[in-house]
Amino acid sequence: MRLRGETWGAWIRLEHAPLLLAVDHAGLASLAITPPPPRPGPSAPLEVHVAVTSQCSAGCTGCYLDATPGGHSPEKGEIVRRLEGLADAGVFTVAFGGGEPLVRDDLPDLARAARGLGLLPVMTTSGLGLTARRATELRDFAQINVSYDGVGADYAEVRGIDAARHAERAIEALVAAGVRTGANVVLTRATMPRAADTLERAKALGCVDAQLLRYKPRGRAASLEYLSRRLSADQVRRFPALLRAWSARARPMSLRVDCSMIPWFSTDPSLADAARLTRLGIFGCEAGGHLAALSVDGATAPCSFLPPGDGDLHRAHARAPREPCASCPIFAVCKGGCRAVSAFSGDPWAPDPECPKVVAWRGAAAHGRPEPA
Amino acid sequence: MSAERDSDRPEPGDVPLVVRSSAGANCSSVGSVVDLLFATAAVSTAVFAAAWAALAREARPEDQDDATQRDNNAPAG
């Protein structure tokens, strides 16, 4: 296991199970575990997203990085130096992305380098062009997620390219190679009605989990078209109930939601419990907290969707939320929703404008009615 | 890049044990497994007990010798 001492106890990543645990001092003492002392000063993120290239030829319409075929791929030595810095800081997981990481021939070397440094390497890929042989070379990754936004035409609806079958073949190749494989599923207004079918297909292909992702207005997706592609207010309202049904149907495949979807739990009485969400290790916006991102040129950002910065403003925002976040029972976890979405609306520090609680609060304020709790 | 601990920020240590399952594998956002949110209390209790038992196994003295060293995690799953 790998330990990181904190003022409240320790984060522990187990070696023989895909679990990250946070244990308080009493729990550590009961197991006679003595973590290293907390590092003085700032504490490192748990997870860092590492862009290993900005090159990609897929041309997806909603690419948040605006990756192109003429993108840049840093030398292997430079990536390894960045990994060494992250390991020294106490980071647990490095998530390789891009661009399309598969454009690099040295991915197996990078994965091994990460493991040698005590980091857990994972990766996201479109899977385009992934061969069975290449898949076997990627076994050092703890998990690889393939972007799989829908069955058949739904994939093309989200990404603007007709490559669902290519993604499916990539999943099959990775599973056959013994790589723990997941699916990343971006939900849009048009594809959400058939999300259950997408998840069913991902399970049939052998995915161990599927991560549901919110469509975000960054890169090529930052256009007025975003307004017609994001989920409708009614879809957001129904999301918790649908998530419950999808989770039951997907078993034994696990379902994950991305950090920007936590606001959608705020009006569901069965989910709006910050202590319970915390116990289950569910993260809302952790930009500048448990999460950071390294761009392809090595710049640090609070998350992959945000411009470079060290996260100070994000942490300050978390200390002084505006209403209705200030009185929301899950703000401690949610942290006010996705800053990238708020930024697109004109104010990066405003409450997430697509949160159902925020929508209701603003509606009431506009009509002069008492603000809903 | 680093996250400063704010005194008023809720910490995992506010509860005795936090269990965060699955390796993160998305390059653009943090994902969290939600299955236990919809599970019965009995199932949740069993999962927490299993996680604790797994921790106890890995915390045996012979394993703790390596605890603060960089490890070589086998691929999860």
Side-chain angles (χ1 to χ4, degrees):
Chain A
M1 64 185 183
R2 189 169 186 231
L3 289 165
R4 193 171 92 186
E6 303 284 355
T7 55
W8 43 262
W11 283 106
I12 303 175
R13 192 187 72 208
L14 298 186
E15 184 173 358
H16 301 296
L19 292 175
L20 182 65
L21 308 178
V23 184
D24 69 0
H25 291 296
L28 294 171
S30 72
L31 293 175
I33 296 173
T34 305
R39 294 162 187 256
S43 179
L46 296 170
E47 181 172 324
V48 174
H49 299 159
V50 179
V52 294
T53 181
S54 58
Q55 186 180 352
C56 181
S57 57
C60 299
T61 51
C63 177
Y64 74 91
L65 192 71
D66 198 14
T68 64
H72 166 62
S73 297
E75 295 291 329
K76 179 171 72 175
E78 176 58 32
I79 298 289
V80 171
R81 278 189 290 277
R82 293 174 188 174
L83 296 177
E84 288 170 346
L86 298 176
D88 287 343
V91 170
F92 283 85
T93 299
V94 285
F96 290 179
E100 171 49 62
L102 290 178
V103 302
R104 300 189 67 108
D105 293 330
D106 55 8
L107 284 174
D109 297 338
L110 292 177
R112 279 191 290 274
R115 284 195 177 276
L117 292 164
L119 297 164
L120 198 66
V122 298
M123 185 172 81
T124 299
T125 175
S126 68
L128 303 185
L130 181 69
T131 63
R133 178 177 177 180
R134 188 89 197 272
T136 62
E137 297 171 351
L138 301 175
R139 288 173 173 158
D140 276 319
F141 283 96
Q143 182 166 326
I144 295 177
N145 272 27
V146 176
S147 298
Y148 183 61
D149 297 325
V151 178
D154 277 347
Y155 182 100
E157 202 287 327
V158 175
R159 304 180 79 83
I161 58 172
D162 183 11
R165 190 61 199 119
H166 294 274
E168 291 174 352
R169 279 199 288 267
I171 293 171
E172 290 170 329
L174 289 165
V175 171
V179 178
R180 183 181 166 95
T181 306
N184 283 350
V185 182
V186 174
L187 296 179
T188 67
R189 189 172 304 185
T191 62
M192 183 165 163
R194 291 173 298 283
D197 296 335
T198 301
L199 297 173
E200 190 73 25
R201 182 67 178 140
K203 180 171 73 170
L205 290 166
C207 290
V208 296
D209 66 29
Q211 174 154 337
L212 301 174
L213 294 152
R214 187 170 163 187
Y215 190 72
K216 300 184 185 74
R218 289 289 293 174
R220 289 198 285 270
S223 70
L224 286 179
E225 193 180 359
Y226 168 77
L227 300 177
S228 63
R229 305 194 81 191
R230 65 183 179 180
L231 299 191
S232 69
D234 183 58
Q235 287 174 318
V236 168
R237 185 182 56 76
R238 290 188 290 115
F239 181 76
L242 287 169
L243 189 63
R244 182 188 302 272
W246 294 338
S247 174
R249 184 171 162 181
R251 291 183 195 127
M253 184 177 76
S254 284
L255 274 196
R256 299 193 297 174
V257 297
D258 88 10
C259 36
S260 67
M261 289 173 158
I262 303 306
W264 301 350
F265 292 179
S266 62
T267 53
D268 186 302
S270 69
L271 300 178
D273 179 340
R276 185 157 168 261
L277 295 172
T278 298
R279 278 196 303 275
L280 297 178
I282 289 175
F283 290 165
C285 176
E286 283 296 340
H290 296 322
L291 173 66
L294 276 181
S295 70
V296 72
D297 60 1
T300 306
C303 97
S304 305
F305 293 99
L306 298 170
D310 65 4
D312 280 349
L313 292 174
H314 291 265
R315 293 191 291 278
H317 163 75
R319 286 192 298 267
R322 304 176 192 172
E323 289 292 358
C325 296
S327 55
C328 178
I330 64 166
F331 177 77
V333 175
C334 168
K335 312 268 173 62
C338 184
R339 298 300 90 210
V341 175
S342 292
F344 183 71
S345 299
D347 180 357
W349 307 113
D352 190 324
E354 296 167 25
C355 166
K357 184 177 281 286
V358 173
V359 170
W361 190 85
R362 288 180 174 173
H367 291 89
R369 294 193 298 268
E371 295 156 359
Chain B
M1 186 207 86
S2 300
E4 187 174 355
R5 291 294 175 198
D6 300 317
S7 59
D8 54 351
R9 176 180 167 175
E11 300 284 10
D14 291 345
V15 294
L17 174 66
V18 171
V19 176
R20 182 169 161 78
S21 56
S22 182
N26 185 265
C27 66
S28 64
S29 62
V30 170
S32 301
V33 173
V34 294
D35 301 315
L36 276 185
L37 273 176
F38 308 119
T40 63
V43 169
S44 294
T45 300
V47 169
F48 270 66
W52 189 259
L55 172 61
R57 279 194 299 275
E58 293 199 16
R60 288 174 304 191
E62 58 269 32
D63 293 332
Q64 277 203 63
D65 292 342
D66 298 329
T68 57
Q69 298 176 11
R70 290 171 177 168
D71 60 5
N72 287 300
N73 270 13

